[in-house]
């Protein structure tokens, strides 16, 4: 019988997100009784060059919207602006501050910034719709300038669609993800022996690096009985591209909601 207070007791969850973001997730899983293996597939680092970002910061007064699509985008942008350039955003721009999801909005508040617009649909599609509505319709997007500080190799949907409507979008890299030096042999052994019940994927990059680490030729065999828990439709779509089965995908794009869905999968 499942322990209602520790519904994940006896289950092992592999957490693949960057170590600096994993602590809260690990604590919550452990409070629910799970054994947690924290094996980051990626680490988050600054861009190779800040030149384009610094140039945009010098021109902040020219932007109508400043868009943040992740907590990491907020952190790296404001650390650059505050700690290295010693500039105060409130004195530099009257742009509307937009955020995808509550987690991004909360991170903005850590820098004493309140989002003017929060897209509850935490996807690029949801933020695009929210921006268009905020602007009063597609016909009002033409001529607007958008600054989009985000990850390298992020989805192109937002800048492409805004560009089609006549906007100018400066899509800038403020951070990038790189592979970590995870112990492949130990991880493969745990999977092969059936000691891992769930692998949590919090971004497409965690999946790409996971597959690269264990080998695509080994993927179907090692993951045959393992749940793949994915934040968001884009991450889940990446899992399907690699033919991962047993997908868990919550309706809300957050780590807490993903853990709730994992609990639900094991307590049905």
């Amino acid at each position: 019988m499942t322990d209602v207070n520790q519904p994940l007791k006896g289950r092992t969850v592999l957490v693949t997100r960057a170590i600096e973001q994993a602590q809260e997730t690990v604590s919550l899983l452990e409070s629910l009784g799970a054994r947690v293996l924290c094996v980051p597939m990626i680490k988050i680092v600054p861009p190779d060059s800040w030149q384009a970002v610094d140039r945009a910061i010098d021109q902040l007064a020219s932007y109508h919207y400043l868009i943040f699509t992740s907590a990491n985008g907020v952190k790296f942008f404001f650390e650059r602006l505050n700690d290295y350039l010693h500039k105060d955003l409130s004195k530099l721009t009257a742009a509307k501050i937009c955020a995808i999801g509550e987690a991004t909005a909360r991170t903005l508040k850590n820098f004493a910034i309140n989002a003017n617009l929060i897209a509850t649909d935490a996807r690029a599609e949801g933020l695009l719709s929210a921006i268009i509505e905020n602007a009063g319709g597609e016909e009002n997007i033409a001529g607007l300038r958008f600054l989009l500080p985000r990850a390298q190799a992020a989805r192109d949907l937002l800048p492409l669609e805004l560009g089609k409507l006549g906007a100018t979008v400066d899509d800038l890299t403020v951070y990038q993800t790189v592979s970590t030096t995870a112990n492949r042999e130990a991880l493969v052994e745990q999977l092969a022996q059936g000691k891992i019940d769930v692998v949590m994927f919090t971004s497409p990059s965690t999946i790409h690096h996971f597959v690269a680490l264990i080998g695509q030729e080994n993927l179907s065999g090692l993951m045959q009985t393992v749940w793949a828990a994915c934040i968001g439709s884009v991450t889940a779509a990446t899992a399907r591209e690699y033919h991962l089965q047993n997908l868990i995908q919550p309706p809300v794009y957050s780590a807490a909601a993903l853990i709730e869905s994992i609990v639900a999968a094991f307590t049905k």
Side-chain angles (χ1 to χ4, degrees), residues 197-201 226-232 235-236 239-240 244-251 257-266 268:
D197 299 290
V198 185
V199 181
M200 286 184 66
F201 296 113
V226 180
W227 290 94
C230 303
I231 285 184
T235 304
R240 292 188 186 95
L244 291 175
Q245 306 297 317
N246 309 316
L247 296 188
I248 296 173
Q249 180 190 342
L258 186 58
I259 291 171
E260 289 179 6
S261 295
I262 291 172
V263 170
F266 285 114
K268 286 182 179 178

mmCIF file of all heavy atoms in Angstrom, residues 197-201 226-232 235-236 239-240 244-251 257-266 268:
data_model
loop_
_atom_site.group_PDB
_atom_site.id
_atom_site.type_symbol
_atom_site.label_atom_id
_atom_site.label_comp_id
_atom_site.label_asym_id
_atom_site.label_seq_id
_atom_site.Cartn_x
_atom_site.Cartn_y
_atom_site.Cartn_z
ATOM 1 N N ASP A 197 13.446 4.460 -11.712
ATOM 2 C CA ASP A 197 12.036 4.388 -12.109
ATOM 3 C C ASP A 197 11.613 5.533 -13.021
ATOM 4 O O ASP A 197 10.756 5.369 -13.889
ATOM 5 C CB ASP A 197 11.145 4.405 -10.863
ATOM 6 C CG ASP A 197 11.414 3.227 -9.946
ATOM 7 O OD1 ASP A 197 11.076 2.095 -10.337
ATOM 8 O OD2 ASP A 197 11.984 3.427 -8.857
ATOM 9 N N VAL A 198 12.186 6.714 -12.805
ATOM 10 C CA VAL A 198 11.798 7.908 -13.552
ATOM 11 C C VAL A 198 13.035 8.731 -13.873
ATOM 12 O O VAL A 198 13.918 8.892 -13.034
ATOM 13 C CB VAL A 198 10.834 8.809 -12.736
ATOM 14 C CG1 VAL A 198 10.356 9.991 -13.586
ATOM 15 C CG2 VAL A 198 9.668 8.035 -12.193
ATOM 16 N N VAL A 199 13.070 9.261 -15.097
ATOM 17 C CA VAL A 199 14.067 10.268 -15.448
ATOM 18 C C VAL A 199 13.335 11.572 -15.703
ATOM 19 O O VAL A 199 12.402 11.626 -16.513
ATOM 20 C CB VAL A 199 14.886 9.869 -16.695
ATOM 21 C CG1 VAL A 199 15.925 10.948 -17.007
ATOM 22 C CG2 VAL A 199 15.564 8.523 -16.496
ATOM 23 N N MET A 200 13.714 12.619 -14.978
ATOM 24 C CA MET A 200 13.092 13.931 -15.151
ATOM 25 C C MET A 200 13.865 14.749 -16.184
ATOM 26 O O MET A 200 15.069 14.939 -16.056
ATOM 27 C CB MET A 200 13.072 14.705 -13.821
ATOM 28 C CG MET A 200 12.059 14.212 -12.830
ATOM 29 S SD MET A 200 12.032 15.264 -11.337
ATOM 30 C CE MET A 200 11.408 16.806 -12.024
ATOM 31 N N PHE A 201 13.141 15.232 -17.194
ATOM 32 C CA PHE A 201 13.727 16.094 -18.218
ATOM 33 C C PHE A 201 13.051 17.456 -18.144
ATOM 34 O O PHE A 201 11.834 17.558 -18.303
ATOM 35 C CB PHE A 201 13.540 15.491 -19.606
ATOM 36 C CG PHE A 201 14.248 14.176 -19.817
ATOM 37 C CD1 PHE A 201 13.522 13.008 -19.999
ATOM 38 C CD2 PHE A 201 15.632 14.107 -19.830
ATOM 39 C CE1 PHE A 201 14.164 11.794 -20.199
ATOM 40 C CE2 PHE A 201 16.286 12.893 -20.031
ATOM 41 C CZ PHE A 201 15.546 11.737 -20.212
ATOM 42 N N VAL A 226 11.251 2.570 -17.926
ATOM 43 C CA VAL A 226 11.481 3.791 -17.153
ATOM 44 C C VAL A 226 10.545 4.892 -17.640
ATOM 45 O O VAL A 226 10.371 5.090 -18.849
ATOM 46 C CB VAL A 226 12.951 4.249 -17.304
ATOM 47 C CG1 VAL A 226 13.204 5.522 -16.501
ATOM 48 C CG2 VAL A 226 13.903 3.146 -16.860
ATOM 49 N N TRP A 227 9.932 5.608 -16.698
ATOM 50 C CA TRP A 227 9.113 6.761 -17.053
ATOM 51 C C TRP A 227 10.017 7.918 -17.462
ATOM 52 O O TRP A 227 11.048 8.165 -16.839
ATOM 53 C CB TRP A 227 8.249 7.214 -15.871
ATOM 54 C CG TRP A 227 7.136 6.284 -15.514
ATOM 55 C CD1 TRP A 227 7.160 5.293 -14.576
ATOM 56 C CD2 TRP A 227 5.831 6.260 -16.082
ATOM 57 N NE1 TRP A 227 5.943 4.659 -14.533
ATOM 58 C CE2 TRP A 227 5.109 5.234 -15.442
ATOM 59 C CE3 TRP A 227 5.190 7.008 -17.070
ATOM 60 C CZ2 TRP A 227 3.791 4.940 -15.747
ATOM 61 C CZ3 TRP A 227 3.872 6.722 -17.380
ATOM 62 C CH2 TRP A 227 3.184 5.688 -16.738
ATOM 63 N N ALA A 228 9.625 8.637 -18.498
ATOM 64 C CA ALA A 228 10.311 9.866 -18.909
ATOM 65 C C ALA A 228 9.384 11.028 -18.583
ATOM 66 O O ALA A 228 8.362 11.221 -19.244
ATOM 67 C CB ALA A 228 10.631 9.840 -20.400
ATOM 68 N N ALA A 229 9.721 11.773 -17.541
ATOM 69 C CA ALA A 229 8.874 12.869 -17.073
ATOM 70 C C ALA A 229 9.374 14.175 -17.674
ATOM 71 O O ALA A 229 10.526 14.566 -17.460
ATOM 72 C CB ALA A 229 8.904 12.939 -15.549
ATOM 73 N N CYS A 230 8.512 14.844 -18.444
ATOM 74 C CA CYS A 230 8.933 15.993 -19.250
ATOM 75 C C CYS A 230 8.143 17.250 -18.888
ATOM 76 O O CYS A 230 6.910 17.224 -18.831
ATOM 77 C CB CYS A 230 8.720 15.710 -20.739
ATOM 78 S SG CYS A 230 9.557 14.237 -21.354
ATOM 79 N N ILE A 231 8.868 18.334 -18.671
ATOM 80 C CA ILE A 231 8.210 19.635 -18.513
ATOM 81 C C ILE A 231 7.882 20.176 -19.897
ATOM 82 O O ILE A 231 8.765 20.406 -20.709
ATOM 83 C CB ILE A 231 9.105 20.637 -17.773
ATOM 84 C CG1 ILE A 231 9.154 20.323 -16.281
ATOM 85 C CG2 ILE A 231 8.595 22.063 -17.964
ATOM 86 C CD1 ILE A 231 9.943 21.311 -15.466
ATOM 87 N N GLY A 232 6.598 20.379 -20.160
ATOM 88 C CA GLY A 232 6.191 21.083 -21.364
ATOM 89 C C GLY A 232 6.134 20.253 -22.623
ATOM 90 O O GLY A 232 6.758 19.207 -22.754
ATOM 91 N N THR A 235 9.583 19.837 -24.653
ATOM 92 C CA THR A 235 10.448 18.790 -24.098
ATOM 93 C C THR A 235 9.875 17.410 -24.399
ATOM 94 O O THR A 235 10.607 16.483 -24.766
ATOM 95 C CB THR A 235 10.604 18.983 -22.579
ATOM 96 O OG1 THR A 235 11.113 20.295 -22.328
ATOM 97 C CG2 THR A 235 11.558 17.960 -21.983
ATOM 98 N N ALA A 236 8.558 17.264 -24.255
ATOM 99 C CA ALA A 236 7.915 15.983 -24.552
ATOM 100 C C ALA A 236 8.065 15.617 -26.030
ATOM 101 O O ALA A 236 8.286 14.449 -26.374
ATOM 102 C CB ALA A 236 6.446 16.029 -24.167
ATOM 103 N N ALA A 239 11.399 14.181 -26.528
ATOM 104 C CA ALA A 239 11.425 12.795 -26.051
ATOM 105 C C ALA A 239 10.841 11.850 -27.095
ATOM 106 O O ALA A 239 11.369 10.756 -27.330
ATOM 107 C CB ALA A 239 10.655 12.680 -24.738
ATOM 108 N N ARG A 240 9.769 12.269 -27.733
ATOM 109 C CA ARG A 240 9.140 11.419 -28.762
ATOM 110 C C ARG A 240 10.053 11.273 -29.982
ATOM 111 O O ARG A 240 10.048 10.228 -30.638
ATOM 112 C CB ARG A 240 7.794 12.006 -29.173
ATOM 113 C CG ARG A 240 6.739 11.951 -28.072
ATOM 114 C CD ARG A 240 5.367 12.362 -28.585
ATOM 115 N NE ARG A 240 4.416 12.432 -27.490
ATOM 116 C CZ ARG A 240 4.106 13.548 -26.827
ATOM 117 N NH1 ARG A 240 4.679 14.697 -27.178
ATOM 118 N NH2 ARG A 240 3.239 13.529 -25.842
ATOM 119 N N LEU A 244 11.194 7.770 -26.970
ATOM 120 C CA LEU A 244 11.016 7.433 -25.560
ATOM 121 C C LEU A 244 9.542 7.143 -25.298
ATOM 122 O O LEU A 244 8.655 7.845 -25.789
ATOM 123 C CB LEU A 244 11.502 8.569 -24.663
ATOM 124 C CG LEU A 244 13.012 8.803 -24.644
ATOM 125 C CD1 LEU A 244 13.350 10.027 -23.810
ATOM 126 C CD2 LEU A 244 13.750 7.587 -24.104
ATOM 127 N N GLN A 245 9.298 6.108 -24.514
ATOM 128 C CA GLN A 245 7.943 5.696 -24.182
ATOM 129 C C GLN A 245 7.628 6.117 -22.741
ATOM 130 O O GLN A 245 8.440 6.738 -22.063
ATOM 131 C CB GLN A 245 7.803 4.178 -24.336
ATOM 132 C CG GLN A 245 8.224 3.655 -25.695
ATOM 133 C CD GLN A 245 7.355 4.186 -26.823
ATOM 134 O OE1 GLN A 245 6.131 4.257 -26.706
ATOM 135 N NE2 GLN A 245 7.986 4.564 -27.925
ATOM 136 N N ASN A 246 6.430 5.769 -22.272
ATOM 137 C CA ASN A 246 6.047 5.994 -20.873
ATOM 138 C C ASN A 246 6.240 7.454 -20.454
ATOM 139 O O ASN A 246 6.885 7.764 -19.450
ATOM 140 C CB ASN A 246 6.861 5.087 -19.929
ATOM 141 C CG ASN A 246 6.837 3.633 -20.347
ATOM 142 O OD1 ASN A 246 5.800 3.095 -20.708
ATOM 143 N ND2 ASN A 246 8.003 3.000 -20.305
ATOM 144 N N LEU A 247 5.701 8.369 -21.264
ATOM 145 C CA LEU A 247 5.893 9.786 -20.999
ATOM 146 C C LEU A 247 4.948 10.291 -19.910
ATOM 147 O O LEU A 247 3.773 9.912 -19.848
ATOM 148 C CB LEU A 247 5.679 10.614 -22.264
ATOM 149 C CG LEU A 247 6.646 10.379 -23.434
ATOM 150 C CD1 LEU A 247 6.409 11.419 -24.519
ATOM 151 C CD2 LEU A 247 8.089 10.402 -22.975
ATOM 152 N N ILE A 248 5.465 11.158 -19.068
ATOM 153 C CA ILE A 248 4.678 11.898 -18.091
ATOM 154 C C ILE A 248 4.828 13.376 -18.442
ATOM 155 O O ILE A 248 5.941 13.884 -18.555
ATOM 156 C CB ILE A 248 5.189 11.666 -16.655
ATOM 157 C CG1 ILE A 248 5.023 10.199 -16.251
ATOM 158 C CG2 ILE A 248 4.467 12.577 -15.668
ATOM 159 C CD1 ILE A 248 5.668 9.861 -14.917
ATOM 160 N N GLN A 249 3.691 14.064 -18.649
ATOM 161 C CA GLN A 249 3.732 15.485 -19.008
ATOM 162 C C GLN A 249 2.607 16.217 -18.287
ATOM 163 O O GLN A 249 1.431 15.994 -18.570
ATOM 164 C CB GLN A 249 3.584 15.660 -20.519
ATOM 165 C CG GLN A 249 3.616 17.120 -20.961
ATOM 166 C CD GLN A 249 3.236 17.295 -22.418
ATOM 167 O OE1 GLN A 249 3.269 16.349 -23.201
ATOM 168 N NE2 GLN A 249 2.857 18.507 -22.779
ATOM 169 N N PRO A 250 2.924 17.090 -17.351
ATOM 170 C CA PRO A 250 1.879 17.802 -16.619
ATOM 171 C C PRO A 250 1.263 18.910 -17.470
ATOM 172 O O PRO A 250 1.896 19.407 -18.411
ATOM 173 C CB PRO A 250 2.637 18.395 -15.432
ATOM 174 C CG PRO A 250 4.014 18.619 -15.965
ATOM 175 C CD PRO A 250 4.269 17.485 -16.922
ATOM 176 N N PRO A 251 0.051 19.340 -17.145
ATOM 177 C CA PRO A 251 -0.571 20.431 -17.889
ATOM 178 C C PRO A 251 0.056 21.787 -17.595
ATOM 179 O O PRO A 251 -0.039 22.710 -18.392
ATOM 180 C CB PRO A 251 -2.034 20.385 -17.427
ATOM 181 C CG PRO A 251 -1.978 19.739 -16.080
ATOM 182 C CD PRO A 251 -0.853 18.757 -16.139
ATOM 183 N N ALA A 257 4.712 20.879 -10.681
ATOM 184 C CA ALA A 257 3.635 20.171 -11.375
ATOM 185 C C ALA A 257 4.126 18.853 -11.949
ATOM 186 O O ALA A 257 3.394 17.855 -11.967
ATOM 187 C CB ALA A 257 3.072 21.059 -12.490
ATOM 188 N N LEU A 258 5.380 18.827 -12.407
ATOM 189 C CA LEU A 258 5.940 17.590 -12.938
ATOM 190 C C LEU A 258 6.048 16.538 -11.846
ATOM 191 O O LEU A 258 5.727 15.358 -12.063
ATOM 192 C CB LEU A 258 7.319 17.871 -13.546
ATOM 193 C CG LEU A 258 7.992 16.717 -14.279
ATOM 194 C CD1 LEU A 258 7.127 16.198 -15.411
ATOM 195 C CD2 LEU A 258 9.361 17.142 -14.809
ATOM 196 N N ILE A 259 6.444 16.946 -10.658
ATOM 197 C CA ILE A 259 6.535 16.002 -9.540
ATOM 198 C C ILE A 259 5.151 15.501 -9.149
ATOM 199 O O ILE A 259 4.964 14.320 -8.857
ATOM 200 C CB ILE A 259 7.257 16.664 -8.348
ATOM 201 C CG1 ILE A 259 8.733 16.884 -8.699
ATOM 202 C CG2 ILE A 259 7.150 15.791 -7.096
ATOM 203 C CD1 ILE A 259 9.495 17.716 -7.693
ATOM 204 N N GLU A 260 4.154 16.385 -9.173
ATOM 205 C CA GLU A 260 2.775 15.954 -8.900
ATOM 206 C C GLU A 260 2.333 14.897 -9.895
ATOM 207 O O GLU A 260 1.653 13.922 -9.530
ATOM 208 C CB GLU A 260 1.829 17.152 -8.954
ATOM 209 C CG GLU A 260 1.968 18.128 -7.794
ATOM 210 C CD GLU A 260 1.021 19.302 -7.917
ATOM 211 O OE1 GLU A 260 0.177 19.298 -8.843
ATOM 212 O OE2 GLU A 260 1.119 20.230 -7.096
ATOM 213 N N SER A 261 2.711 15.066 -11.149
ATOM 214 C CA SER A 261 2.339 14.090 -12.178
ATOM 215 C C SER A 261 3.075 12.771 -11.988
ATOM 216 O O SER A 261 2.528 11.694 -12.276
ATOM 217 C CB SER A 261 2.637 14.667 -13.576
ATOM 218 O OG SER A 261 1.820 15.779 -13.838
ATOM 219 N N ILE A 262 4.310 12.836 -11.512
ATOM 220 C CA ILE A 262 5.042 11.604 -11.204
ATOM 221 C C ILE A 262 4.351 10.848 -10.080
ATOM 222 O O ILE A 262 4.159 9.628 -10.144
ATOM 223 C CB ILE A 262 6.509 11.942 -10.823
ATOM 224 C CG1 ILE A 262 7.257 12.454 -12.047
ATOM 225 C CG2 ILE A 262 7.214 10.703 -10.256
ATOM 226 C CD1 ILE A 262 8.645 13.004 -11.730
ATOM 227 N N VAL A 263 3.967 11.573 -9.040
ATOM 228 C CA VAL A 263 3.223 10.943 -7.932
ATOM 229 C C VAL A 263 1.948 10.305 -8.452
ATOM 230 O O VAL A 263 1.637 9.157 -8.108
ATOM 231 C CB VAL A 263 2.901 11.985 -6.845
ATOM 232 C CG1 VAL A 263 1.937 11.403 -5.819
ATOM 233 C CG2 VAL A 263 4.179 12.461 -6.167
ATOM 234 N N ALA A 264 1.224 11.013 -9.290
ATOM 235 C CA ALA A 264 -0.038 10.484 -9.838
ATOM 236 C C ALA A 264 0.199 9.205 -10.626
ATOM 237 O O ALA A 264 -0.588 8.256 -10.587
ATOM 238 C CB ALA A 264 -0.718 11.535 -10.717
ATOM 239 N N ALA A 265 1.310 9.153 -11.373
ATOM 240 C CA ALA A 265 1.598 7.974 -12.184
ATOM 241 C C ALA A 265 1.832 6.729 -11.338
ATOM 242 O O ALA A 265 1.512 5.599 -11.749
ATOM 243 C CB ALA A 265 2.825 8.237 -13.062
ATOM 244 N N PHE A 266 2.356 6.919 -10.122
ATOM 245 C CA PHE A 266 2.679 5.782 -9.266
ATOM 246 C C PHE A 266 1.594 5.486 -8.233
ATOM 247 O O PHE A 266 1.708 4.502 -7.500
ATOM 248 C CB PHE A 266 4.011 6.009 -8.555
ATOM 249 C CG PHE A 266 5.202 5.839 -9.457
ATOM 250 C CD1 PHE A 266 6.010 6.912 -9.768
ATOM 251 C CD2 PHE A 266 5.504 4.598 -10.000
ATOM 252 C CE1 PHE A 266 7.102 6.762 -10.609
ATOM 253 C CE2 PHE A 266 6.591 4.430 -10.841
ATOM 254 C CZ PHE A 266 7.387 5.518 -11.138
ATOM 255 N N LYS A 268 -1.844 5.613 -9.101
ATOM 256 C CA LYS A 268 -3.118 5.285 -9.746
ATOM 257 C C LYS A 268 -3.642 3.948 -9.224
ATOM 258 O O LYS A 268 -2.877 3.006 -9.070
ATOM 259 C CB LYS A 268 -2.944 5.216 -11.255
ATOM 260 C CG LYS A 268 -2.788 6.571 -11.923
ATOM 261 C CD LYS A 268 -2.672 6.412 -13.433
ATOM 262 C CE LYS A 268 -2.531 7.763 -14.121
ATOM 263 N NZ LYS A 268 -2.360 7.609 -15.586
#
